[in-house]
């Protein structure tokens, strides 16, 4: 048998619509009216404001460790925008804006990062899974949900988001494969923020893009400017429509940058330069969208200011609700793994409650 070259049919597309100066490629611009554009803008501002407030609260000891998402607002609002209410989302832990868009309550995000189960309970009428912290453990759930949708012929779509580091996990590759084999209606969004904690993307994979990994599984991958909300909306809308038509999955690589630390527990100065961060500040997804809105006369400075103030008030109200329901209940840790506690756990719970009671009575005496 001769040695010969097999010609592969696929290519990887790359898309960007809105540049850093807010200039738009009108041939590619999605047809969104002013109200829709402002709704998208508000959601991005809300994501940013919540992130900033949470960072301050964490530094004040008012919430636990969390994973900031500054810089990734266009990615998450862009991929969530085309999803319908009846669709399913299997979220990343770095996308509170997408969760709030879907109907999660702001205070739930804070409860989650403070260790409360209430923060992981999907609100009534929302078809989402809670956030998964084990890296790369959730795309396989999305593949399974998509396979179920396919078998039941429901015309729903499932979208899952995860980081670039997650694509090195075996489970994620299994998810890519099963979704392809079943032609399941799954949209995979890799939020390539270029770091997995301190590990840069170049050390994560030798592949030139993350998007091209889809080709090995027999479907399309596309690389998108993840700081360009319009490009994110266009690409995700195409992937969602394709999935709904029954034409199978897509892998979207959103090329973006994590502007803050991985979580509030690490110091990014130890593994990347200030110059690199400064370069990405110029590509801020919010600034470029503001310029676009003004150029397009969808908003003026005054309206943008009003939206900001409105968002500050909404976040403040959410924080106040959170602080009201944030009453420590340490014994709850026994309540959510088993429907019925094993005898050993029941004994441990009783012992733990007795220790708490002793501590309380000691504190009362002092
Ligand atoms: C299974 C597992 N291994 C390791 C960790 C520790 N860990 C938390 S986040 C992270 C990096 C994830 O990077 P990436 O997938 O790129 O997502 P990002 O955090 O950048 O959004 C690691 C290794 C974990 N949570 N779960």
């Amino acid at each position: 048998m001769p040695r010969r070259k097999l010609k592969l049919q696929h290519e990887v597309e790359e898309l960007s619509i809105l540049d850093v100066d807010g200039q738009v490629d009108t041939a590619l611009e999605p047809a969104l009216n002013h109200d829709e554009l402002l709704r998208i803008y508000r959601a991005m501002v809300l994501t940013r404001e919540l992130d900033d407030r949470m960072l301050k609260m964490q530094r004040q000891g008012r919430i636990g460790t969390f994973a900031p998402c500054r810089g990734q607002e266009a990615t998450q609002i862009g991929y969530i925008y085309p999803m319908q209410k009846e669709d399913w989302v299997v979220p990343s832990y770095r996308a509170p804006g997408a969760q709030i868009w879907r109907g999660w309550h702001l205070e739930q995000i804070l409860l989650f990062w403070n260790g409360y189960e209430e923060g992981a309970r999907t609100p009534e009428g929302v078809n989402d899974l809670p956030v998964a912290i084990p890296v790369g453990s959730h795309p396989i759930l999305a593949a399974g949900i998509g396979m179920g949708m396919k078998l039941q012929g429901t015309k729903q779509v499932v979208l899952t988001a995860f980081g670039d580091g997650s694509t090195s996990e075996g489970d994620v590759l299994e998810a890519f494969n099963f979704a392809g084999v079943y032609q399941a209606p799954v949209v995979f969004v890799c939020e390539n923020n270029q770091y997995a904690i301190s590990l840069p993307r170049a050390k994560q994979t030798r592949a030139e893009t993350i998007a091209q990994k889809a080709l090995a599984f027999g479907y399309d991958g596309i690389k998108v400017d993840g700081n360009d909300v319009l490009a994110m909306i266009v690409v995700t809308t195409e992937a969602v429509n394709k999935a709904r038509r029954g034409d199978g999955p897509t892998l979207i690589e959103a090329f973006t940058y994590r502007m803050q630390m991985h979580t509030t527990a690490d110091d990014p100065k130890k593994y990347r330069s200030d110059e690199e961060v400064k370069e990405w500040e110029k590509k801020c997804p919010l600034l470029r969208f503001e310029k676009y809105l003004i150029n397009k006369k969808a908003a003026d400075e005054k309206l943008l200011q009003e939206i900001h103030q409105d968002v500050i008030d909404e976040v403040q109200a959410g924080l106040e609700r959170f602080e009201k329901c944030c009453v420590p209940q340490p014994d709850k840790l026994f309540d959510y793994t088993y429907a019925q506690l094993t005898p050993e756990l029941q004994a441990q719970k009783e012992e733990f409650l007795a220790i708490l009671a002793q501590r309380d009575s000691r504190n009362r005496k002092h």
Side-chain angles (χ1 to χ4, degrees):
M1 290 296 286
R3 178 185 281 210
R4 58 199 171 103
K5 298 248 191 267
L6 292 178
K7 277 251 175 291
L8 299 178
Q9 292 169 357
H10 297 278
E11 290 167 329
V12 171
E13 268 188 303
E14 193 171 13
L15 182 73
S16 150
I17 297 178
L18 190 61
D19 71 14
V20 288
D21 300 318
Q23 298 300 322
V24 69
D25 183 335
T26 48
L28 297 170
E29 187 183 6
L32 297 167
N33 65 36
H34 287 188
D35 285 348
E36 286 170 301
L37 291 173
L38 292 175
R39 188 168 160 236
I40 292 160
Y41 175 68
R42 191 183 186 287
M44 287 167 63
V45 176
L46 177 70
T47 311
R48 171 74 55 99
E49 173 64 18
L50 177 62
D51 207 61
D52 287 353
R53 288 297 300 273
M54 283 176 73
L55 188 52
K56 287 185 190 130
M57 287 178 77
Q58 197 279 335
R59 295 309 192 221
Q60 293 162 356
R62 290 160 70 195
I63 62 166
T65 293
F66 81 102
C69 66
R70 189 186 184 91
Q72 295 179 229
E73 298 88 351
T75 295
Q76 60 185 279
I77 301 305
Y79 71 60
I80 212 68
Y81 180 82
M83 297 298 285
Q84 301 292 317
K85 189 172 164 45
E86 67 275 14
D87 293 332
W88 279 72
V89 173
V90 183
S92 136
Y93 50 74
R94 204 183 289 287
Q99 286 187 286
I100 292 172
W101 181 280
R102 292 286 291 170
W104 289 73
H105 308 295
L106 205 145
E107 61 272 28
Q108 281 189 288
I109 312 288
L110 292 139
L111 284 166
F112 177 83
W113 290 108
N114 250 24
Y116 285 80
E117 284 296 327
E118 289 76 0
R121 189 178 298 146
T122 309
E124 208 58 48
V126 176
N127 278 353
D128 295 5
L129 261 49
V131 163
I133 296 292
V135 168
S137 61
H138 58 296
I140 193 85
L141 305 179
I145 292 170
M147 286 157 64
M149 288 167 172
K150 173 86 179 188
L151 292 171
Q152 292 176 345
T154 66
K155 298 283 173 218
Q156 289 160 297
V157 173
V158 54
L159 179 145
T160 185
F162 46 89
D164 41 302
S166 307
T167 62
S168 300
E169 290 282 354
D171 285 7
V172 175
L173 303 175
E174 287 172 32
F176 290 170
N177 189 48
F178 271 97
V181 170
Y182 276 74
Q183 283 290 83
V186 187
V187 179
F188 292 108
V189 180
C190 175
E191 296 188 52
N192 177 6
N193 63 14
Q194 303 186 56
Y195 286 89
I197 313 186
S198 54
L199 192 78
R201 151 67 181 84
K203 290 191 180 163
Q204 191 68 248
T205 170
R206 289 284 293 173
E208 197 179 327
T209 64
I210 303 280
Q212 74 199 61
K213 292 181 187 253
L215 308 187
F217 297 101
Y219 47 91
D220 296 329
I222 178 160
K223 181 174 174 184
V224 194
D225 181 344
N227 285 15
D228 170 356
V229 72
L230 299 181
M232 282 303 302
I233 288 174
V234 166
V235 163
T236 317
T237 303
E238 284 171 6
V240 166
N241 291 344
K242 171 184 148 190
R244 215 180 296 287
R245 278 198 310 272
D247 291 336
T250 304
L251 170 60
I252 297 170
E253 174 185 355
F255 188 70
T256 180
Y257 193 80
R258 161 165 64 72
M259 295 302 296
Q260 289 284 12
M261 59 292 287
H262 165 72
T263 67
T264 45
D266 70 294
D267 174 7
K269 286 187 189 298
K270 294 225 157 60
Y271 52 79
R272 65 187 191 187
S273 68
D274 288 346
E275 290 71 47
E276 183 183 295
V277 178
K278 282 206 185 87
E279 273 312 299
W280 277 91
E281 263 161 21
K282 295 182 199 150
K283 301 179 195 172
C284 172
L286 271 166
L287 287 181
R288 91 172 67 165
F289 197 50
E290 280 169 6
K291 287 178 192 160
Y292 169 73
L293 292 174
I294 287 174
N295 289 344
K296 212 177 160 61
K297 303 207 179 344
D300 55 18
E301 291 290 349
K302 187 167 161 281
L303 181 57
L304 298 185
Q305 274 304 322
E306 283 166 12
I307 293 173
H308 270 254
Q309 189 53 53
D310 193 42
V311 161
I312 290 170
D313 295 345
E314 180 177 339
V315 171
Q316 180 61 30
L319 300 188
E320 284 168 17
R321 286 196 303 276
F322 157 70
E323 293 205 310
K324 271 201 196 108
C325 51
C326 185
V327 180
Q329 299 166 300
D331 57 303
K332 283 268 183 236
L333 74 98
F334 289 96
D335 290 351
Y336 294 105
T337 308
Y338 297 99
Q340 209 168 4
L341 286 182
T342 61
E344 292 80 6
L345 284 173
Q346 184 60 40
Q348 284 181 24
K349 181 175 180 178
E350 281 158 21
E351 191 184 341
F352 184 57
L353 287 174
I355 292 170
L356 290 182
Q358 266 177 12
R359 192 195 59 183
D360 288 350
S361 91
R362 253 202 323 272
N363 287 348
R364 268 197 299 275
K365 279 190 201 133
H366 290 300

